[in-house]
Amino acid sequence: MRRAIALAARGLGSTSPNPVVGCVVLDASGRPAGEGFHRRAGGPHAEVHALRAAGDLARGGTAYVTLEPCAHTGRTGPCARALIDAGIARVVYAVADPTPQARGGAATLRAAGVAVEQGLLAEEAAAGNAAWLTSVRLGRPHVTWKYAATLDGRTAAADATSRWITSAEARADVHRLRAEADAVVVGSGTARTDDPHLAARGVEGAVQPLRVVVDTEGTAVRPGARVLDAAAPTLIAIADDADAGALPETVRLPRAARGLDIPALLAALHARGVRSVLLEGGPALAGSFVAAGAVDRVIGYLAPVLLGAGPAALTDAGITTITEALRLRLTETVRIGPDLRITAVPETAPVTTPVTKEH
């Protein structure tokens, strides 16, 4: 199952609006016979790839799958039926499918005489599929807020210089995060100050994320901005009463007390098939997401640097007293070159096992 979970992760960034799924097939004697993962929406599911690789060796064997095999016909056929037709004798899956149109695969398998077990490494498999499960549960994309800061929490110096606080290794790791996300979001301040490109670079086979700029007044993204090149699709979110001018594709959203309405932004992205968002915006936009209760994971890259002054990583989050603090639970700490990458989730999120390791 751990191998199946690792395989599933290969589909991050390319399967939306579908989940990531991995599958490993063992033959009747318990030897590996085939494996696969869901590569892209509309393509064969993980079970089909694994069964094709196993061929006749699948008969009488066991399939380990990270998500309950589907029981419906969409752009592809039902995986439960494919497993039955291949002669699989036993199916072990980690997470039950929560969608009404796809669940029921386990019952189909049992009715055909296949032995079925559920729950093996369910926590790990659910963590790997957090984006899709969040979209099913909440009807909005899963949001990861990424920031880079000094040990004293500064994202830039007092004179606004910020390149580069973190190392080249950390910046390369951020491109991996972009490649795994469906959309990368920044605000107007970042657009004006940094002229960011936001595409994933240096990641082989990456499906480029949708680049989203939250530009309330429609004035931050100007002709010639790097985010407007052809490297990846771009969407500019503006207020419904703003003048779009010569901007390319835009989405109009209602205003909030500060900037745009974050739930409306996420709903608009969800309607476009976005299931995972990497929030790279500055401290004000991050604060708006936190205030809206719309941050599901935080990834901080901390550099062994002190500045003593300059902008903080987070502002205006709607938190005025310690009792209102958003409490997080650390799920991973990793050395990335000279820097430290810390991953945490709100305490209300499903528990995952903390891991400390080095690259």
Side-chain angles (χ1 to χ4, degrees):
M1 187 61 80
R2 284 201 170 88
R3 175 59 180 167
I5 292 170
L7 288 166
R10 295 186 185 180
L12 288 170
S14 62
T15 65
S16 287
N18 292 349
V20 294
V21 183
C23 177
V24 174
V25 172
L26 307 183
D27 65 17
S29 62
R31 291 187 296 264
E35 63 182 31
F37 65 97
H38 186 38
R39 298 172 181 270
R40 59 178 179 82
H45 290 185
E47 296 93 323
V48 173
H49 283 299
L51 291 171
R52 287 175 179 172
D56 291 340
L57 293 176
R59 190 161 298 279
T62 299
Y64 289 84
V65 194
T66 58
L67 185 67
E68 179 184 2
C70 63
H72 81 301
T73 300
R75 284 184 282 183
T76 61
C79 292
R81 175 48 56 186
L83 291 164
I84 294 167
D85 292 344
I88 287 288
R90 176 171 169 255
V91 172
V92 181
Y93 69 91
V95 178
D97 194 318
T99 56
Q101 67 272 25
R103 65 189 178 200
T108 299
L109 290 165
R110 290 191 180 99
V114 178
V116 179
E117 299 174 27
Q118 174 192 344
L120 180 63
L121 299 185
E123 189 177 291
E124 294 180 31
N129 228 348
W132 181 75
L133 290 170
T134 296
S135 74
V136 171
R137 185 177 73 252
L138 301 179
R140 65 158 175 83
H142 179 276
V143 177
T144 295
W145 171 42
K146 182 280 302 180
Y147 71 94
T150 62
L151 282 184
D152 56 341
R154 307 294 178 173
T155 58
D159 65 355
T161 55
S162 62
R163 296 188 179 183
W164 294 103
I165 285 177
T166 52
S167 63
E169 295 93 332
R171 298 195 298 275
D173 197 60
V174 171
H175 283 281
R176 175 190 60 81
L177 292 181
R178 289 179 181 177
E180 293 179 353
D182 296 333
V184 178
V185 178
V186 299
S188 57
T190 300
R192 288 191 180 94
T193 303
D194 296 341
D195 187 23
H197 190 232
L198 302 182
R201 300 188 298 276
V203 181
E204 185 177 356
V207 176
Q208 291 296 339
L210 174 67
R211 301 178 292 188
V212 181
V213 179
V214 180
D215 185 6
T216 304
E217 305 300 337
T219 59
V221 180
R222 310 310 304 164
R226 298 173 69 215
V227 78
L228 298 180
D229 70 9
T234 300
L235 180 68
I236 314 297
I238 64 174
D240 48 17
D241 58 352
D243 180 8
L247 287 173
E249 186 172 5
T250 60
V251 57
R252 292 184 175 274
L253 300 171
R255 292 178 182 268
R258 299 189 311 272
L260 296 181
D261 183 274
I262 298 303
L265 170 65
L266 292 174
L269 294 177
H270 191 268
R272 291 170 177 262
V274 170
R275 297 296 179 264
S276 58
V277 164
L278 180 63
L279 174 62
E280 291 196 39
L285 184 61
S288 294
F289 271 77
V290 171
V295 171
D296 304 295
R297 180 174 64 161
V298 178
I299 297 180
Y301 293 86
L302 299 183
V305 175
L306 298 176
L307 286 174
L314 182 68
T315 61
D316 300 327
I319 299 169
T320 58
T321 181
I322 193 66
T323 58
E324 298 172 352
L326 177 60
R327 301 288 179 177
L328 306 174
R329 183 180 65 255
L330 291 180
T331 60
E332 186 184 53
T333 59
V334 183
R335 281 282 299 275
I336 305 287
D339 305 318
L340 184 66
R341 185 185 73 204
I342 297 178
T343 303
V345 297
E347 286 186 340
T348 54
V351 174
T352 55
T353 303
V355 176
T356 301
K357 58 188 177 182
E358 290 208 12
H359 274 187

